[in-house]
C-alpha cells in the first residue's frame, strides 16, 4: 500500500525497499472547466541537480524535447498534450543505481505551457499528483496529492528524489512559482 505524503514530508525510498533500483514517477492532473479559447497543455519536467542545487548544464533538464539524461538513468516517456483519460498523464523512468554520483537531486516539476500568455494558472487545475511506482512490480510506493492550494502559479515543483546516507529518499515539495518554466530554469542555474 502506498504511503500518502503531505507537503514537506520526506520518506525513505530505497532503504524501505531493499534491492529496488528502477522506479517510474507518474504525474497526473485534470483541467477544470476553462473557456479561454486556448489549449491547456501541462508538461512535466525533471531537473538533475548537483550538491549546490543547480543543474550543471542544459543536458540536466529533462522534458519532452530532451527525454533522456543522467547517462540514460532518467527517461521522460513523452508529452501528453491534453491530460485526458485516467491514470498518469506523463511518466519518468528512473534507474536510481545508474544516476551519476555528481547528481544529488532529481527534481520533478509540472508547468503550464504558455500559461501567462494564455491567462492560465494552477487555479484551473485539479487532482494534481505525483506517485512513485516500483517498475519491476508495478506497486505504487509513494503518492503525493498536491491539493488545490495554487491560484496564480504557472509552475509547481512537486517533489524530488534525493541522496541521503547512500540511500534515496523522496521529498514532497509542492512549491508554486509564477513565471512558468522560465522561472524554474533560472532558479536551477540555467539560462531561459
Amino acid at each position: 500500500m502506498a504511503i500518502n505524503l503531505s507537503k514537506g514530508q520526506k520518506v525513505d525510498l530505497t532503504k524501505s525497499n531493499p534491492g529496488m533500483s528502477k522506479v517510474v514517477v507518474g504525474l497526473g492532473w485534470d483541467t477544470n472547466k476553462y473557456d479561454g479559447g486556448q489549449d491547456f497543455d501541462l508538461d512535466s519536467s525533471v531537473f538533475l541537480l548537483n550538491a549546490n542545487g543547480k543543474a550543471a548544464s542544459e543536458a540536466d533538464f529533462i522534458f519532452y524535447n530532451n527525454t533522456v539524461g543522467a547517462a540514460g538513468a532518467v527517461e521522460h516517456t513523452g508529452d501528453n498534450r491534453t491530460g485526458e483519460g485516467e491514470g498518469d498523464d506523463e511518466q519518468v523512468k528512473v534507474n536510481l543505481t545508474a544516476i551519476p554520483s555528481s547528481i544529488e537531486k532529481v527534481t520533478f516539476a509540472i508547468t503550464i505551457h504558455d500559461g501567462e500568455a494564455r491567462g492560465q494558472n494552477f487555479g484551473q487545475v485539479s487532482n494534481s499528483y505525483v506517485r512513485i511506482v516500483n517498475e519491476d512490480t508495478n506497486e505504487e510506493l509513494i503518492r503525493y496529492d498536491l491539493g488545490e492550494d495554487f491560484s496564480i502559479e504557472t509552475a509547481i515543483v512537486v517533489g524530488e528524489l534525493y541522496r541521503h546516507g547512500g540511500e534515496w529518499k523522496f521529498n514532497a515539495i509542492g512549491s508554486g512559482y509564477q513565471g512558468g518554466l522560465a522561472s524554474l530554469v533560472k532558479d536551477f542555474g540555467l539560462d531561459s
Side-chain angles (χ1 to χ4, degrees):
M1 186 164 141
I3 298 170
N4 284 308
L5 299 181
S6 299
K7 181 176 181 167
Q9 281 188 297
K10 299 175 180 173
V11 66
D12 283 312
L13 183 60
T14 55
K15 192 174 185 180
S16 52
N17 296 284
M20 181 190 67
S21 63
K22 293 182 179 180
V23 296
V24 174
V25 179
L27 300 112
W29 51 79
D30 294 317
T31 52
N32 296 335
K33 187 170 183 205
Y34 169 72
D35 57 10
Q38 304 261 3
D39 289 339
F40 208 114
D41 179 16
L42 280 77
D43 297 311
S44 63
S45 53
V46 183
F47 293 89
L48 307 174
L49 307 177
N50 59 27
N52 297 323
K54 302 294 182 190
S57 74
E58 290 192 9
D60 291 338
F61 170 44
I62 312 303
F63 66 114
Y64 59 84
N65 274 338
N66 179 37
T67 57
V68 179
V74 177
E75 179 188 355
H76 191 297
T77 62
D79 188 14
N80 176 335
R81 304 207 45 164
T82 65
E84 297 294 321
E86 297 298 312
D88 299 338
D89 290 303
E90 295 185 8
Q91 293 184 328
V92 179
K93 294 181 177 185
V94 181
N95 182 341
L96 297 168
T97 57
I99 293 176
S101 60
S102 61
I103 297 170
E104 293 286 322
K105 294 179 181 178
V106 180
T107 303
F108 300 90
I110 302 173
T111 56
I112 300 173
H113 183 72
D114 287 340
E116 284 86 7
R118 296 176 178 178
Q120 300 169 341
N121 59 57
F122 273 96
Q124 299 157 323
V125 176
S126 59
N127 304 320
S128 301
Y129 69 86
V130 59
R131 68 189 191 118
I132 299 180
V133 176
N134 181 330
E135 186 176 337
D136 293 331
T137 65
N138 211 27
E139 177 190 2
E140 183 176 292
L141 305 172
I142 298 169
R143 183 179 185 96
Y144 170 40
D145 292 300
L146 276 79
E148 309 290 323
D149 299 339
F150 308 99
S151 58
I152 58 174
E153 293 86 351
T154 53
I156 300 175
V157 173
V158 295
E160 67 187 5
L161 293 167
Y162 68 99
R163 293 183 201 263
H164 181 78
E167 300 286 350
W168 285 95
K169 291 183 153 193
F170 181 78
N171 180 12
I173 296 176
S175 289
Y177 285 73
Q178 290 179 291
L181 184 59
S183 66
L184 292 181
V185 167
K186 189 173 181 185
D187 270 14
F188 292 129
L190 300 172
D191 295 326
S192 53

